């Protein structure tokens, strides 16, 4: 054991790009002859040597013996991709071992994901991070503590401000989550009951995360023209950053709906100005023109969501509210692009557009939507973005890749592969190096994931090897669970999780707890 530790120390200290390690050095695995993108440096043809869970050498023609060698000739070798916005928490906690592998992610080369986004992060962060000790998982993950979970627990679904006592309870839950290892505080200010909050409440809670070194992640209050508008929602995020001094991350940045399409340049200018003024603000984006949410969130006016589902159903049954409800639904449907732009992804109407459902019911789209919501608030794919806006956001150096992975949308199985095949290869919006770094090292560095996102000696061995000719998404809006093609090898913490394009069944993922600032947790 002492000999092995000494050998590893020697490797970590002495091996770097271009170095020629001694032939006596050994490794568990070598990936040979690929085009290597380290996450920082210009690509080169060379090798990656791995021992235990770490990369021990990177360079051309490494003279190292290994228990196994994988020929990566003609392939791209990159850091395992990092997805900073997903809804994969239930999959990671599943009782099904195959589900916990997260095959949709591994088959795209994603080795690390964030959960608890949109304010959904559980308040019991310690239990969430303990999952791999009980149920092995296929990927690494970090989690947020979420505003939605906190507000539900303390206030419920009511449209009101917290009392001073309630605000203290909310703040205590943020502090508890941070001290248990949350990476930060997430909000989904578009969604009730979080949407009932005012900025001062959000700032008060964010400060609890800020003082413990946390990050603020937000589905902003409005990505369209529902309430305050897209521009004002960006301004609110910037205000939170100025008030707290914490890093601000805007998840799945977009200009959603007919009223705001074409606004990307304006939003980019706002963010660039904030960054120039010292606000540490970034964003992430999924490469799809359709968003994914629920029928209620898409169509129901905010006032009608006060009190939750039971209260909403009562409003459906109140004749005095019928006209007001229908007018609000009609306006939100217009913003989304009309009933044909809404594709249901769950339940008996799965795979049908809202206008098709209305025709089958022999009614109008508004009535069809209300009837569907009465049965179940189904997921919906909403076609609402322009390609020009998508490309404009994607070109920004502060925009990372995310999937917003949630069931029923092809972004679960195809986001990273689609970004490569469509926006790198076909449309040439960004370069291959930009795609890799904004899907790995830039994300890791900004979120402080030490030892992740780079192919360098001493880094954790999270690696993807993919075929540049065949790496592509197969998932579609009609068939959202088709796996991506082209990934040959995926290594997670030194273990081969995908071998020759097939899942090995190895679950080597780890929880990645955030360490709070010293002295901020008792």
């Amino acid at each position: 054991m002492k000999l092995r530790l000494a050998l590893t120390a020697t490797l970590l200290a002495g091996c770097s790009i271009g170095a020629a390690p001694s032939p006596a050095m050994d490794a568990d695995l070598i990936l040979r002859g690929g085009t290597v993108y380290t996450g920082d440096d210009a690509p080169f043809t060379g090798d990656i040597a791995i021992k235990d869970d770490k990369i021990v050498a990177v360079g051309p023609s490494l003279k190292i013996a290994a228990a196994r060698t994988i020929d990566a000739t003609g392939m791209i070798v990159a850091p395992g991709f990092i997805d900073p916005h997903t809804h994969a928490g239930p999959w990671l906690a599943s009782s099904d071992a195959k589900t916990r592998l997260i095959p949709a992610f591994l088959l795209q080369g994603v080795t690390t994901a964030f959960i608890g986004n949109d304010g959904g992060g559980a308040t019991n962060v310690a239990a969430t991070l303990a999952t791999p000790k009980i149920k092995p998982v296929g990927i690494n993950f970090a989690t947020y503590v979420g505003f939605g979970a906190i507000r539900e627990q303390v206030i419920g679904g009511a449209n009101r401000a917290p009392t001073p006592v309630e605000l203290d309870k909310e703040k205590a839950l943020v502090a508890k989550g941070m001290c248990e290892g949350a990476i930060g505080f997430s909000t989904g200010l578009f969604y009730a009951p979080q949407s009932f909050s005012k900025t001062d409440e959000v700032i008060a809670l964010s400060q609890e995360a800020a003082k413990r070194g946390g990050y603020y992640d937000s589905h902003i209050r409005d990505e369209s023209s529902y309430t305050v508008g897209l521009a004002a929602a960006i301004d609110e995020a910037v205000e939170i950053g100025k008030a707290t001094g914490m890093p601000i991350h805007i998840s799945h940045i977009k200009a959603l709906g007919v009223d705001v399409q074409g606004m990307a340049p304006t939003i980019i200018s706002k963010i660039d100005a904030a960054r120039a003024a010292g606000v540490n603000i970034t964003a992430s984006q999924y490469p799809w023109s359709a968003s994914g949410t629920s029928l209620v969130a898409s169509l129901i006016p905010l006032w009608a969501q006060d009190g939750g589902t039971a209260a909403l159903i009562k409003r459906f049954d109140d004749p005095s509210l019928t006209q007001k409800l229908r007018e609000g639904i009609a306006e939100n449907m217009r913003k989304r692009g009309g009933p044909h732009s809404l594709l249901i992804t769950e339940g008996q109407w799965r795979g049908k557009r809202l206008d098709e459902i209305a025709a089958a019911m022999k009614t109008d789209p508004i009535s069809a939507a209300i009837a569907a919501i009465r049965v179940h608030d189904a997921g919906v794919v909403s076609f609402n973005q322009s390609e020009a806006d998508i490309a404009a956001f994607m070109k920004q150096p502060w925009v990372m890749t995310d999937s917003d992975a949630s069931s029923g949308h092809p972004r679960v199985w195809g986001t990273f592969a689609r970004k490569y095949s469509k926006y790198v290869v076909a449309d040439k919006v960004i370069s291959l190096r930009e795609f890799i770094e904004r899907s790995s090292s830039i994300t890791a560095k900004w979120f402080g994931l030490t030892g992740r996102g780079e192919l360098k000696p001493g880094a954790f061995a999270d690696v993807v090897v993919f075929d540049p000719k065949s790496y592509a998404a197969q998932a579609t809006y009609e068939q959202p669970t088709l796996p991506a093609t082209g990934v040959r090898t995926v290594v997670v913490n030194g273990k081969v999780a995908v071998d020759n394009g097939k899942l090995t069944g190895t679950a080597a993922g780890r929880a990645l707890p955030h360490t709070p600032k010293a002295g901020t947790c008792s």
Side-chain angles (χ1 to χ4, degrees):
M1 182 64 180
K2 291 182 179 179
L3 177 61
R4 189 176 189 181
L5 290 173
L7 172 60
T8 301
T10 300
L11 287 168
L12 296 182
C15 297
S16 60
I17 294 174
S22 163
M25 295 180 178
D26 69 331
D28 298 324
L29 174 66
I30 290 184
L31 307 170
R32 286 205 184 275
T35 301
V36 177
Y37 287 77
T38 67
D40 275 324
D41 308 294
F44 65 94
T45 300
D47 311 329
I48 308 291
I50 296 166
K51 191 170 186 65
D52 297 324
D53 62 349
K54 298 288 181 63
I55 294 171
V56 293
V58 178
S61 304
L62 295 178
K63 304 301 182 183
I64 299 177
R68 183 181 179 191
T69 297
I70 293 178
D71 184 3
T73 303
M75 302 291 113
I76 303 296
V77 182
F81 298 141
I82 300 171
D83 189 336
H85 188 108
T86 80
H87 297 278
W91 305 329
L92 288 167
S94 171
S95 59
D96 179 18
K98 291 183 179 179
T99 300
R100 293 198 309 275
L101 288 175
I102 316 290
F105 288 14
L106 286 177
L107 291 173
Q108 293 181 76
V110 176
T111 58
T112 300
F114 291 11
I115 62 174
N117 303 83
D118 289 349
T123 57
N124 192 348
V125 172
T128 300
L129 293 172
T131 299
K133 298 178 182 178
I134 305 166
K135 302 174 180 179
V137 297
I139 60 172
N140 307 307
F141 70 95
T143 187
Y144 288 99
V145 60
F147 185 30
I150 288 171
R151 214 173 200 273
E152 284 276 8
Q153 184 173 327
V154 176
I155 301 174
N159 182 1
R160 64 173 177 82
T163 66
V165 171
E166 288 170 336
L167 184 62
D168 285 342
K169 289 180 179 178
E170 289 184 314
K171 290 165 66 176
L173 287 171
V174 176
K176 172 179 174 290
M178 290 301 304
C179 290
E180 290 179 353
I183 195 168
F185 178 57
S186 79
T187 67
L189 301 181
F190 174 70
Y191 297 108
Q194 298 173 75
S195 52
F196 301 140
S197 68
K198 303 300 182 185
T199 306
D200 59 352
E201 179 185 354
V202 182
I203 288 174
L205 302 189
S206 299
Q207 285 172 333
E208 294 299 315
K211 68 177 65 173
R212 294 169 176 86
Y215 297 79
Y216 177 83
D217 173 84
S218 188
H219 179 139
I220 56 177
R221 197 174 293 274
D222 196 349
E223 296 174 328
S224 183
S225 56
Y226 276 79
T227 53
V228 300
L230 173 59
I234 294 292
D235 290 340
E236 181 183 39
V238 171
E239 180 183 351
I240 292 166
K242 289 179 177 178
T244 63
M246 69 195 303
I248 303 296
H249 187 74
I250 298 171
S251 280
H252 44 63
I253 193 169
K254 65 175 75 69
L256 184 155
V258 296
D259 291 346
V260 297
Q261 286 176 5
M263 278 191 67
T266 299
I267 301 306
I268 290 165
S269 294
K270 275 184 172 291
I271 294 175
D272 280 340
R275 287 169 60 85
V279 179
N280 187 2
I281 183 169
T282 58
S284 54
Q285 175 198 41
Y286 53 76
W288 304 88
S289 60
S291 63
T293 185
S294 70
L295 269 177
V296 167
S298 297
L299 297 178
I300 301 301
L302 187 58
W303 64 265
Q305 298 181 48
D306 185 1
T309 302
L312 174 60
I313 298 301
K314 287 183 179 179
R315 294 185 180 102
F316 285 160
D317 294 331
D318 185 344
S320 70
L321 296 176
T322 298
Q323 182 176 351
K324 184 179 179 182
L325 261 171
R326 290 182 66 88
E327 287 175 352
I329 294 171
E331 173 62 5
N332 288 342
M333 194 178 297
R334 180 197 67 78
K335 292 173 182 176
R336 292 268 168 175
H340 190 69
S341 72
L342 299 169
L343 176 69
I344 307 301
T345 62
E346 298 176 300
Q348 72 178 103
W349 299 110
R350 180 179 177 181
K352 299 291 185 182
R353 307 266 183 155
L354 186 55
D355 57 349
E356 296 172 332
I357 296 170
M361 290 182 174
K362 297 182 179 179
T363 188
D364 62 274
I366 295 174
S367 298
I370 292 172
I373 290 169
R374 283 180 180 275
V375 176
H376 173 59
D377 181 17
V380 62
V381 166
S382 174
F383 297 86
N384 50 44
Q385 298 169 65
S386 75
E387 284 294 332
D389 284 335
I390 292 171
F393 285 127
M394 192 177 293
K395 291 176 182 178
Q396 305 312 307
W398 38 263
V399 173
M400 309 163 196
T401 310
D402 75 34
S403 70
D404 195 10
S406 55
S407 297
H409 197 295
R411 62 194 182 192
V412 179
W413 289 82
T415 284
F416 288 78
R418 174 181 170 85
K419 187 168 182 177
Y420 169 78
S421 62
K422 176 172 173 59
Y423 293 98
V424 175
V425 177
D427 296 352
K428 296 179 172 55
V429 173
I430 58 174
S431 69
L432 174 55
R433 181 172 175 178
E434 288 170 330
F435 160 68
I436 289 172
E437 293 182 359
R438 295 176 196 177
S439 301
S440 58
S441 58
I442 289 174
T443 310
K445 289 175 183 177
W446 195 81
F447 282 103
L449 300 182
T450 304
R452 307 283 173 183
E454 295 181 305
L455 300 183
K456 293 189 175 180
F460 289 98
D462 296 337
V463 189
V464 56
V465 179
F466 66 88
D467 184 347
K469 297 179 181 178
S470 62
Y471 184 45
Q474 300 301 307
T476 65
Y477 296 109
E478 293 74 25
Q479 295 182 286
T481 60
L482 296 177
T485 59
V487 166
R488 293 291 178 262
T489 305
V490 177
V491 180
V492 180
N493 295 311
K495 303 297 183 184
V496 178
V498 176
D499 196 359
N500 197 27
K502 304 294 183 182
L503 293 167
T504 65
T506 298
R510 297 174 183 172
L512 305 178
H514 177 73
T515 302
K517 285 183 178 178
T520 60
C521 295
S522 58

